């Protein structure tokens, strides 16, 4: 029986996770945001010239070339994550950033180009991620000239949704009164009189049990509203953007609650499921922190549409009836299991057969929450860069079973690819461990170098097609 | 958006057996935030029933109430409005609007809720508004034998109030609406 040999590069010590010192992420991101920006302006001119000569695949291949280069790259990159005092110094980062900025300022953006740039993970400098995500999710069209009209239309649509769905029944009643031109009685305004009554004929009073009653739907939604409220309050308690006592954090929470409630009301099929707040959080964070005033103030509307777009690729996972179907969560987990088996038979065998770690125990959370709970918030943003940019990857071109026209299905595939890479990266510890230690490891995935992870995921998928 | 239920003069079990079933089917727990009761329940079972609809219950003493511990009058603040509660048998002549206006000025409230006449009224004068929710069971009163069961639900939203009047006329529930608002009060002392 021929055992599939694990390639040497996978087993190299470079991939094992070093215990990284807990860096304060706020410092990290601010530093990364500021230093490239300042160094950028001076280096941009030189880089821009060199970039026009070297097309993006070559920068990718320079990262992929064997032994000495990755080690250098790896140490410098791990330096930037683990040590908050070191600014990103690799030339590739600058060249990528220059290329990105150049790409984004074109009149018509080449989406393919953008995707391949973004799959290497975006720089943290302000504004870039927000614009790129909007483009990748199809919220902004590639033609720059259409941006302002698109944005205006979408934002007014969101406002319309909010007006229609989120006004309280009291408010609705008062609007009706005003529109009919009744003169509201004012308390203590002088005259004595019996207050006149108007008969309600359309069953719309607070105790109404009628289906068409605004009040009735309001009371039925109260449970959803409470659930959303509880979840939003619990989102990311360690990040001040979400959970500080400030009015800024409170307004952020309000916006997130509005988005989730509008979504729940528009999609009566899945309504609100716990965990959607975790998927909304990175999107809203990125858009709200956009230095562009216009984008930041309309972050709620933009985040709503991008959230809907992102979720549409995964919405079947949230519907309980579809759990056992081909599109449901169980089949996705089976596909992950199959993926692991194809790459690394030994690991798969040890995990599922010997130690009986059912992939449902860990992969469920990985998949339904798009890995937001497994990594720190800022690492998650980098993973999502790769995730959102993936549809043009090699998998789509060659795999016959996947509908190449459906980018959202390949979004699932790239997610599964990253999950597979996560398993492969800790294979040593998994193979050495038993049920308890493996479960512990997989449910509290150790801090990893994200670039390594994405690189491995990429490599695994390209290998699969060979 | 606060929902306040105002009712009273049930006179259970002496003059009526229970609330009309159509009213009972509408009064489900979870919707109403406060209940203010003008009195004359008269027994503890009704008190417990009202408590199941809403835990925040305010009652004043009517002349036939068996629980002597209820106060004669009560004032409470809900949202921007001050509400006053009194059964009304203490105010003579019964149901007289000038005398009730005097009581309202005494209690210094925006909305005064009283009962005893078993007749729904909503009256406005310089000092504020007087609302009588009538009798929720349709029990006869000393002055009136033909009484329609009625109660009142107030929706207090900021400076505006919508009063929904629920009446049982000929076996059907009829709902009326009254709305009024309060001028925004300027802050008192600098």
């Amino acid at each position: 029986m021929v055992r599939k040999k694990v390639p040497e590069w996978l087993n190299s010590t470079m991939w094992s996770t070093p215990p990284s010192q807990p860096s304060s992420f706020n410092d990290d991101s601010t530093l990364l945001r500021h230093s490239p920006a300042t160094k950028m302006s001076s280096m941009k001119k030189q880089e821009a010239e060199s970039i026009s000569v070297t097309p993006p695949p070559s920068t990718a291949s320079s990262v992929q070339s064997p032994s000495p280069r990755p080690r250098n790259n790896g140490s410098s990159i791990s330096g930037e994550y683990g040590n908050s005092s070191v600014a990103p110094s690799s030339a590739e980062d600058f060249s990528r950033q220059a290329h990105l900025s150049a790409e984004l300022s074109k009149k018509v953006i080449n989406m393919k180009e953008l995707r391949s740039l973004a799959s290497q993970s975006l720089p943290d400098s302000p504004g870039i991620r927000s614009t790129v995500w909007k483009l990748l999710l199809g919220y902004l069209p590639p033609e720059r000239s259409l941006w302002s009209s698109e944005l205006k239309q979408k934002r007014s649509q969101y406002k319309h949704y909010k007006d229609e769905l989120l006004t309280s029944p009291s408010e609705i009643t008062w609007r009706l009164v005003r529109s009919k031109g009744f003169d509201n009685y004012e308390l203590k305004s002088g005259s004595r009189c019996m207050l006149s009554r108007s008969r309600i004929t359309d069953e719309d009073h607070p105790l109404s049990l009628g289906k068409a009653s605004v009040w009735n739907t309001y009371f039925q939604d109260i449970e959803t509203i409470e659930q959303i409220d509880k979840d939003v309050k619990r989102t990311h308690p360690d990040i001040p953007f979400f959970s500080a006592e400030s009015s800024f954090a409170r307004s952020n929470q309000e916006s997130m609650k509005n988005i989730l409630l509008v979504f729940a009301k528009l999609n009566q099929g899945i309504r609100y499921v716990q965990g959607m707040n975790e998927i909304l959080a990175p999107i809203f964070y990125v858009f709200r922190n956009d230095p562009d005033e216009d984008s930041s103030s309309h972050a709620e509307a933009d985040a709503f549409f991008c959230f809907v777009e992102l979720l549409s690729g995964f919405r079947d996972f949230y519907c309980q009836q579809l759990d056992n179907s081909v599109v449901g969560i169980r089949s996705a987990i089976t596909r992950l299991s199959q993926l692991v088996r194809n790459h690394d038979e030994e690991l798969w065998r040890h995990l599922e057969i010997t130690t009986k770690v059912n992939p449902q125990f860990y992969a469920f959370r990985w998949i339904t929450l798009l890995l937001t709970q497994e990594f720190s918030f800022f690492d998650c943003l980098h993973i999502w860069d790769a995730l959102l940019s993936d549809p043009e990857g090699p998998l789509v071109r060659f795999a016959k079973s996947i509908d190449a026209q459906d980018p959202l299905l390949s979004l699932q595939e790239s997610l599964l690819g990253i999950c597979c890479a996560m398993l492969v990266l800790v294979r040593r510890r998994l193979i050495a461990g038993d049920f308890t230690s493996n479960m512990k490891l997989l449910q509290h995935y150790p801090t990893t170098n994200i670039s390594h992870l994405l690189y491995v995921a990429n490599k695994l998928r390209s290998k699969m097609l060979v | 958006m606060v929902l306040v239920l105002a009712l009273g003069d049930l006179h259970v079990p002496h003059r009526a057996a229970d609330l009309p079933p159509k009213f009972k089917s509408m009064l489900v727990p979870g919707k109403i935030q406060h209940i203010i009761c003008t009195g004359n329940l008269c027994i503890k079972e009704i008190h417990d029933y009202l408590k199941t609809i809403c835990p925040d219950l305010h009652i004043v003493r009517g002349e036939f109430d068996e629980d002597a511990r209820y106060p004669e009058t009560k004032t409470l603040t809900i949202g921007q409005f001050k509400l006053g509660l009194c059964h009304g048998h203490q105010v003579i002549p019964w149901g007289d609007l000038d005398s009730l206006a005097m009581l309202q000025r005494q209690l210094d409230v925006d909305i005064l809720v009283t009962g005893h006449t078993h007749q729904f009224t909503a009256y406005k004068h310089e000092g504020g508004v007087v609302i009588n929710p009538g009798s929720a069971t349709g029990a006869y009163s000393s002055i009136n034998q033909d009484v329609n069961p009625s109660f009142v639900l107030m929706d207090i939203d900021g400076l505006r109030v919508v009063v929904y009047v629920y009446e049982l006329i000929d076996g059907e529930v009829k709902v009326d609406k009254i709305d009024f608002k309060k001028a925004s009060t300027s802050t008192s002392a600098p």
Side-chain angles (χ1 to χ4, degrees):
Chain A
M1 185 179 98
V2 177
R3 269 271 205 83
K4 241 198 188 162
K5 207 167 158 252
V6 176
E8 187 46 56
W9 61 268
L10 261 186
N11 246 340
S12 133
T13 49
M14 172 171 50
W15 302 126
S16 63
T17 60
S20 56
Q21 46 283 60
S23 50
S24 95
F25 287 107
N26 275 333
D27 289 347
D28 227 359
S29 55
T30 22
L31 214 63
L32 289 175
R33 243 183 281 147
H34 289 142
S35 42
T38 47
K39 289 191 184 168
M40 260 317 303
S41 42
S42 54
M43 295 195 63
K44 194 168 180 181
K45 289 221 179 87
Q46 314 164 334
E47 298 299 342
E49 278 139 41
S50 59
I51 288 318
S52 54
V53 177
T54 58
S58 74
T59 49
S61 64
S62 70
V63 177
Q64 284 176 8
S65 66
S67 323
R69 281 301 289 289
R71 190 161 287 141
N72 283 339
N73 248 357
S75 54
S76 74
I77 294 177
S78 64
E80 94 197 8
Y81 281 97
N83 189 343
S84 55
S85 59
V86 173
S89 50
S90 61
E92 263 123 52
D93 281 339
F94 287 132
S95 69
R96 270 209 327 262
Q97 182 153 357
H99 206 118
L100 254 176
S101 315
E103 190 60 50
L104 286 174
S105 47
K106 285 199 194 146
K107 280 230 184 84
V108 178
I109 298 174
N110 186 338
M111 288 309 289
K112 235 174 132 184
E113 186 97 346
L114 188 67
R115 283 189 203 280
S116 59
L117 275 174
S119 66
Q120 305 281 327
S121 160
L122 298 167
D124 281 322
S125 52
I128 291 194
R129 182 168 275 129
S130 162
T131 325
V132 174
W133 279 17
K134 285 180 191 164
L135 284 162
L136 292 175
L137 281 167
Y139 182 58
L140 288 173
E143 292 89 14
R144 235 164 198 270
S145 50
L146 296 176
W147 281 11
S148 58
S149 58
E150 266 295 305
L151 286 177
K152 217 166 129 194
Q153 188 223 0
K154 289 267 166 71
R155 285 163 184 176
S156 73
Q157 194 177 22
Y158 179 69
K159 188 161 175 302
H160 177 73
Y161 284 149
K162 267 175 83 168
D163 276 339
E164 204 183 300
L165 298 170
L166 294 188
T167 25
S168 71
S170 295
E171 185 64 44
I172 296 179
T173 323
W174 275 93
R175 285 198 192 154
L176 233 90
V177 166
R178 253 181 300 169
S179 68
K180 292 203 179 135
F182 285 145
D183 196 14
N184 303 138
Y185 289 108
E186 265 231 11
L187 221 58
K188 304 189 182 180
S189 71
S191 58
R192 287 188 167 205
C193 58
M194 300 297 291
L195 292 171
S196 71
R197 315 146 61 156
S198 55
R199 175 128 306 173
I200 294 182
T201 42
D202 58 353
E203 280 296 316
D204 219 349
H205 52 90
L207 298 178
S208 160
L209 297 166
K211 287 206 170 61
S213 156
V214 183
W215 287 93
N216 205 7
T217 30
Y218 171 76
F219 285 120
Q220 282 172 347
D221 286 333
I222 279 203
E223 215 185 292
T224 314
I225 295 178
E226 273 175 8
Q227 182 69 61
I228 293 180
D229 191 47
K230 261 190 275 177
D231 283 345
V232 167
K233 288 209 167 79
R234 291 192 284 209
T235 318
H236 294 296
D238 49 333
I239 300 184
F241 178 87
F242 294 107
S243 58
E245 285 300 314
S246 64
S247 64
F248 179 61
R250 264 194 291 273
S251 78
N252 292 338
Q253 286 190 350
E254 268 309 305
S255 301
M256 285 182 47
K257 276 194 272 187
N258 288 343
I259 295 176
L260 291 168
L261 190 56
V262 172
F263 180 82
K265 289 190 143 189
L266 287 175
N267 294 281
Q268 292 290 336
I270 35 174
R271 293 195 61 93
Y272 173 73
V273 176
Q274 269 189 304
M276 287 184 178
N277 60 315
E278 297 293 340
I279 299 186
L280 177 60
I283 301 179
F284 185 68
Y285 179 87
V286 166
F287 291 173
R288 192 79 174 89
N289 282 331
D290 194 336
D292 174 29
E293 267 305 308
D294 184 53
S295 299
S296 174
S297 54
H298 289 111
E300 191 180 326
D302 297 341
F304 171 73
F305 286 104
C306 293
F307 173 67
V308 169
E309 194 52 47
L310 182 61
L311 216 60
S312 57
F314 299 94
R315 73 191 294 142
D316 291 333
F317 291 163
Y318 295 99
C319 181
Q320 236 183 338
Q321 283 90 352
L322 292 174
D323 265 355
N324 289 327
S325 76
V326 175
V327 291
I329 183 69
R330 289 243 173 93
S331 117
I333 294 180
T334 321
R335 272 184 285 154
L336 172 64
S337 181
Q338 200 58 37
L339 207 61
V340 177
R341 186 177 188 173
N342 290 345
H343 283 290
D344 194 344
E345 175 103 22
E346 185 194 349
L347 175 64
W348 176 82
R349 190 170 298 280
H350 181 85
L351 213 49
E352 295 207 15
I353 313 244
T354 323
T355 52
K356 294 206 186 358
V357 176
N358 188 333
Q360 268 196 344
F361 297 152
Y362 54 87
F364 190 85
R365 197 173 70 168
W366 291 6
I367 296 177
T368 48
L369 292 183
L370 301 182
L371 300 171
T372 47
Q373 298 283 66
E374 314 309 318
F375 300 98
S376 79
F377 188 67
F378 295 98
D379 283 347
C380 220
L381 297 180
H382 291 279
I383 294 188
W384 278 33
D385 291 335
L387 207 61
L388 293 176
S389 63
D390 225 301
E392 295 285 305
L395 198 63
V396 179
R397 258 182 280 140
F398 294 107
K400 296 188 202 85
S401 55
I402 297 174
D403 180 2
Q405 299 304 317
D406 186 357
L408 296 171
L409 190 55
S410 77
L411 201 74
Q412 288 186 15
E413 294 302 321
S414 51
L415 176 64
L416 295 180
I418 298 183
C419 293
C420 184
M422 282 165 72
L423 287 171
V424 163
L425 279 190
V426 289
R427 67 186 307 277
R428 275 208 171 169
R429 289 155 77 169
L430 285 175
I431 292 185
D434 65 340
F435 179 77
T436 334
S437 64
N438 283 352
M439 283 294 291
K440 250 175 137 182
L441 181 64
L442 292 173
Q443 286 183 338
H444 300 94
Y445 196 78
T447 334
T448 335
N449 185 315
I450 301 300
S451 320
H452 286 186
L453 178 64
L454 295 175
Y455 169 58
V456 172
N458 234 344
K459 189 123 186 177
L460 283 176
R461 280 177 40 244
S462 51
K463 229 178 93 37
M464 221 174 84
L465 308 164
V466 167
Chain B
M1 207 192 72
V2 181
L3 291 179
V4 183
L5 176 67
L7 76 171
D9 288 320
L10 292 99
H11 289 280
V12 174
H14 313 297
R15 304 187 195 175
D18 201 357
L19 283 156
K22 293 206 168 167
F23 280 179
K24 279 191 114 160
S25 66
M26 282 200 293
L27 292 172
V28 294
K31 298 188 179 182
I32 297 170
Q33 275 88 52
H34 307 275
I35 299 186
I36 50 182
C37 185
T38 53
N40 273 345
L41 293 178
C42 310
I43 47 179
K44 189 174 177 306
E45 278 78 355
I46 297 292
H47 178 108
D48 294 338
Y49 166 70
L50 291 177
K51 270 270 185 184
T52 65
I53 301 178
C54 163
D56 191 30
L57 176 58
H58 303 271
I59 312 188
V60 287
R61 182 132 203 266
E63 73 269 46
F64 290 102
D65 269 314
E66 297 193 355
D67 190 340
R69 292 169 300 171
Y70 299 143
E72 292 282 319
T73 62
K74 207 166 195 193
T75 54
L76 53 151
T77 310
I78 293 178
Q80 302 275 357
F81 286 86
K82 286 188 285 197
L83 283 85
L85 193 56
C86 176
H87 178 246
H89 67 273
Q90 308 95 329
V91 177
I92 302 169
W94 293 341
D96 179 51
L97 296 165
D98 287 324
S99 317
L100 287 173
M102 248 194 327
L103 175 63
Q104 181 156 14
R105 280 190 289 274
Q106 246 183 332
L107 295 174
D108 187 26
V109 290
D110 299 314
I111 304 175
L112 177 67
V113 181
T114 57
H116 188 57
T117 61
H118 296 213
Q119 182 72 38
F120 169 79
T121 47
Y123 178 72
K124 172 173 114 61
H125 60 93
E126 303 83 9
V129 165
V130 178
I131 295 181
N132 186 330
S135 162
T137 50
Y140 60 86
S141 76
S142 337
I143 36 182
N144 188 0
Q145 290 220 324
D146 190 16
V147 174
N148 281 326
S150 67
F151 66 88
V152 156
L153 185 68
M154 291 191 279
D155 174 15
I156 300 181
D157 185 26
L159 290 167
R160 308 177 298 205
V161 177
V162 182
V163 177
Y164 295 92
V165 186
Y166 294 80
E167 272 176 309
L168 193 68
I169 301 175
D170 296 330
E172 284 301 315
V173 177
K174 302 265 191 298
V175 188
D176 289 344
K177 187 163 69 104
I178 301 171
D179 28 26
F180 56 86
K181 63 178 193 265
K182 178 173 161 172
S184 54
T185 47
S186 49
T187 50
S188 45

